[in-house]
Amino acid sequence: MPVRIEEFETGKLPDSPSVPKQVLVYLYTNRDKAFTRSEIATGIEEDPNTVGTALSRLKQRDLVRHKGEYWAITEDLNRVQDAYDLHTATEQLDDEDGGIDPDDWEAVAPVEPHPSERE
């Protein structure tokens, strides 16, 4: 969806849900069906390549299933709820404290691995 150039220039862009979130909502809403990547892209009005990337990442997290060219939400809906809860909590914390700056995090990270990670 295009935005006006004034919105682009000022950085006041629409705050729309991420593609992975849109994919999960779409598949959850239609949890009695499986869809091709193109069908999902059409359903959420996003680019099929972007949807494909989102599907691959969601599959790595066991939030969606894949057979042939079809995709469906996981059968473990508690897993989807847990992922949503974690995402919501992370967003709230980022809003409160500005999030984690990767450079600041790296600057104070220990050089030696944690004892649980040692062989």
Side-chain angles (χ1 to χ4, degrees):
M1 161 184 357
V3 296
R4 293 187 343 222
I5 197 67
E6 294 83 18
E7 294 170 315
F8 174 78
E9 295 294 342
T10 62
K12 294 179 182 177
L13 302 172
D15 187 24
S16 59
S18 68
V19 172
K21 188 173 187 177
Q22 291 179 65
V23 168
L24 281 177
V25 168
Y26 183 80
L27 291 176
Y28 179 81
T29 303
N30 298 285
R31 60 189 171 276
D32 60 333
K33 299 178 185 92
F35 300 89
T36 65
R37 177 186 69 151
S38 296
E39 290 169 335
I40 296 168
T42 300
I44 65 172
E45 298 179 356
E46 292 288 348
D47 179 83
N49 292 326
T50 306
V51 169
T53 301
L55 286 166
S56 295
R57 291 181 180 161
L58 292 168
K59 184 176 185 242
Q60 289 173 345
R61 292 169 177 82
D62 295 324
L63 296 171
V64 297
R65 299 176 282 158
H66 181 229
K67 289 186 182 178
E69 61 183 72
Y70 289 91
W71 297 85
I73 192 109
T74 182
E75 291 177 308
D76 184 358
L77 297 179
N78 288 329
R79 185 168 182 80
V80 176
Q81 182 62 52
D82 290 345
Y84 178 79
D85 291 345
L86 177 61
H87 177 72
T88 300
T90 302
E91 281 185 334
Q92 288 173 345
L93 290 172
D94 285 349
D95 287 346
E96 290 174 15
D97 70 7
I100 296 172
D101 182 322
D103 293 331
D104 290 345
W105 180 271
E106 188 62 34
V108 297
V111 176
E112 295 293 320
H114 187 272
S116 67
E117 296 175 338
R118 294 182 190 145
E119 293 180 32

